[in-house]
DNA sequence: GATGCCGCGGTCGAGATTGTCCATCAGGCC
DNA sequence: GGCCTGATGGACAATCTCGACCGCGGCATC
């Protein structure tokens, strides 16, 4: 993992379908050398995969919300993880600093299904209450979804 | 946008570097027909781009935070977008319901660089104050990063 | 019904790309 | 020096890309 690898990854991030030859011109390597490095990065699991960014409006998962979770007493992270993983609409979740115990990112087709997902999260034991912020419009999206 | 397109997108989501021929075998089209459809999907902005999923631990971007933005007076979403897009650490941002005006997801190498990124966000005009929640540990991660 | 247009898919071929093999080279070590 | 290891560039065949061209079916028009 040196600067060459980082350069290759940066280029792939911009266009994962770029040819090895083109990448090689940018970073100063031959196509074969680039391919060897990319293969190694994939084998080493540094590169998890190549994917495509799709307009979320098209695949019909456009309703998203941040949900703060407030728990009673002690929180068992492992149990929380188990519960949250059981809700497919949960895209992302983590324990956080601040007054909330965890922040959960939920994505669903529409408001009713968002509410249903939220209900499933609330079932988790020790969850005292939640506070949701529904996303009105996306300002930036560099996370690939 | 029909079932063929959806099939192609599903396959590209799994492997954006798959050859058109291989995709064609899966969805029952010739390589040329697949390329035509992919080109059209890209032209129509249904496909926003091809990218690579990198292990965040490896490229040293493991410090993440949710930042609530509170603005003074009226918020110009376009200007907010322009400012936020200028901060590379901003992974995700959107205007939201609730007391905050926007929620910004920031990812950086460590706490000092997180603070620096936060500073850049605060520069935005009309930003009154911010409230950050730093992620302590990830509970769920289905967003591919 | 005949006609032309349009969208969509297949086939073909030149040219580019990929993937593999091999020779080479630099650096570390004995 | 001699040897090993890891990485690179070059060469080559296999594969893929991508545009040109053709045919087919649906549809509106005459």
């Amino acid at each position: 993992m040196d600067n060459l690898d980082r350069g290759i990854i940066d280029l792939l991030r911009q266009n994962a379908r770029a040819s090895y030859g083109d990448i090689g011109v940018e970073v100063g390597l031959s196509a074969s050398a680039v391919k060897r490095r990319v293969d190694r990065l994939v084998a080493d699991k540094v590169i998890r995969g190549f994917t495509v960014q799709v307009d979320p409006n098209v695949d019909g998962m456009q309703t998203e919300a941040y949900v703060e979770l407030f728990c009673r007493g002690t929180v068992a992270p492992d149990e929380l993880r188990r519960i949250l993983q059981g809700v497919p609409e949960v895209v992302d979740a983590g324990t956080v600093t601040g007054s909330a115990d965890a922040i959960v990112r939920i994505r669903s087709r529409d408001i009713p299904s968002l509410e249903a997902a939220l209900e499933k999260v609330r079932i988790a034991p020790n969850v005292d209450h939640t506070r949701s912020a529904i996303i009105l419009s996306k300002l930036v999206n560099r996370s690939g979804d």
Side-chain angles (χ1 to χ4, degrees), chain A residues 78-116:
Chain A
D78 285 339
E79 193 173 0
L80 208 49
R81 171 181 286 120
R82 203 174 43 72
I83 303 270
L84 292 175
Q85 271 176 343
V87 182
E89 289 89 349
V90 171
V91 175
D92 210 274
T95 56
V96 291
T97 63
S99 55
D101 293 297
I103 290 185
V104 180
R105 196 148 62 95
I106 292 182
R107 181 157 53 211
S108 63
R109 205 174 54 255
D110 47 32
I111 298 287
S113 55
L114 183 69
E115 190 175 14

Side-chain angles (χ1 to χ4, degrees), chain A residues 47-144:
Chain A
I47 291 177
R48 289 208 192 152
F50 301 93
T51 189
V52 67
Q53 294 174 309
V54 181
D55 188 334
N57 293 1
V58 172
D59 70 350
M61 294 294 271
Q62 42 190 330
T63 308
E64 205 170 322
Y66 293 105
V67 180
E68 288 176 279
L69 239 63
F70 298 86
C71 297
R72 270 185 302 271
T74 52
V75 203
D78 285 339
E79 193 173 0
L80 208 49
R81 171 181 286 120
R82 203 174 43 72
I83 303 270
L84 292 175
Q85 271 176 343
V87 182
E89 289 89 349
V90 171
V91 175
D92 210 274
T95 56
V96 291
T97 63
S99 55
D101 293 297
I103 290 185
V104 180
R105 196 148 62 95
I106 292 182
R107 181 157 53 211
S108 63
R109 205 174 54 255
D110 47 32
I111 298 287
S113 55
L114 183 69
E115 190 175 14
L118 197 51
E119 211 54 55
K120 281 186 271 185
V121 171
R122 283 217 192 92
I123 290 171
N126 290 333
V127 169
D128 188 86
H129 65 283
T130 59
R131 184 166 61 193
S132 304
I134 296 171
I135 295 181
L136 297 172
S137 72
K138 279 267 184 187
L139 294 172
V140 180
N141 182 2
R142 276 193 273 257
S143 63

